[in-house]
Amino acid sequence: MPTQNARVNAGHRFGCDTTSSTQRQQNDEQTLVIRNYDASEIHTIHVQVHDTGGKCVLERTLQVNPSRAVTMNMCCDAATYTITAQIETGSVDMTECRIGTSMDKTALIETGNGSVRVADGLV
């Protein structure tokens, strides 16, 4: 699977991996946030999202620059999903996350110091 370079827009608004502005408006809050806490290392993060039936609904590989965070629109229905993240060191984490239209229903992936963590919600 190709690697996507995540980006941060001017004005400190986080970049998004979807291209359709209509799609962004419809799913703006159903997102996955990926943070790289390392100050000098770019991390490649492979993300898989599975629904409750075990079907993979999203699979992406992203590069996140040092000390940056990016958002990725999930483009899926509000529900509970199992999110798995792996970085190039081999560190893997998996958590069930509620995805919806509020910050507590946003998945968070954090990487730093050679490890990765998936969390349910930003608050």
Side-chain angles (χ1 to χ4, degrees), residues 60-114:
R60 296 277 161 72
T61 301
L62 301 163
Q63 286 188 330
V64 182
N65 289 327
S67 302
R68 294 287 190 200
V70 296
T71 60
M72 183 173 70
N73 284 340
M74 299 282 287
C75 302
C76 58
D77 295 329
T80 298
Y81 295 92
T82 300
I83 299 180
T84 305
Q86 181 174 3
I87 60 173
E88 67 280 349
T89 64
S91 177
V92 178
D93 193 27
M94 176 175 51
T95 300
E96 282 192 359
C97 297
R98 296 165 298 136
I99 304 299
T101 58
S102 63
M103 289 181 66
D104 67 329
K105 293 183 180 169
T106 299
L108 172 65
I109 297 174
E110 298 175 304
T111 184
N113 296 321

Side-chain angles (χ1 to χ4, degrees), residues 3 5-6 8 10 15 18 20 25 27 31 36-38 42 53 59-61 65 70 86 101 103 112-113 120 122:
T3 299
N5 287 317
V8 179
T18 60
S20 166
Q25 291 170 356
N27 298 297
T31 58
N36 178 1
Y37 285 107
D38 283 332
I42 294 173
E59 184 171 12
R60 296 277 161 72
T61 301
N65 289 327
V70 296
Q86 181 174 3
T101 58
M103 289 181 66
N113 296 321
D120 182 23
L122 294 178

Side-chain angles (χ1 to χ4, degrees), residues 7-53:
R7 62 200 178 280
V8 179
N9 297 343
H12 304 334
R13 183 181 165 114
F14 297 127
C16 173
D17 84 326
T18 60
T19 56
S20 166
S21 61
T22 302
Q23 191 175 34
R24 277 195 299 269
Q25 291 170 356
Q26 291 173 347
N27 298 297
D28 198 37
E29 294 185 60
Q30 296 176 355
T31 58
L32 172 68
V33 176
I34 304 169
R35 293 181 184 156
N36 178 1
Y37 285 107
D38 283 332
S40 61
E41 298 290 325
I42 294 173
H43 285 290
T44 300
I45 301 152
H46 184 78
V47 179
Q48 289 182 325
V49 179
H50 291 85
D51 64 17
T52 55

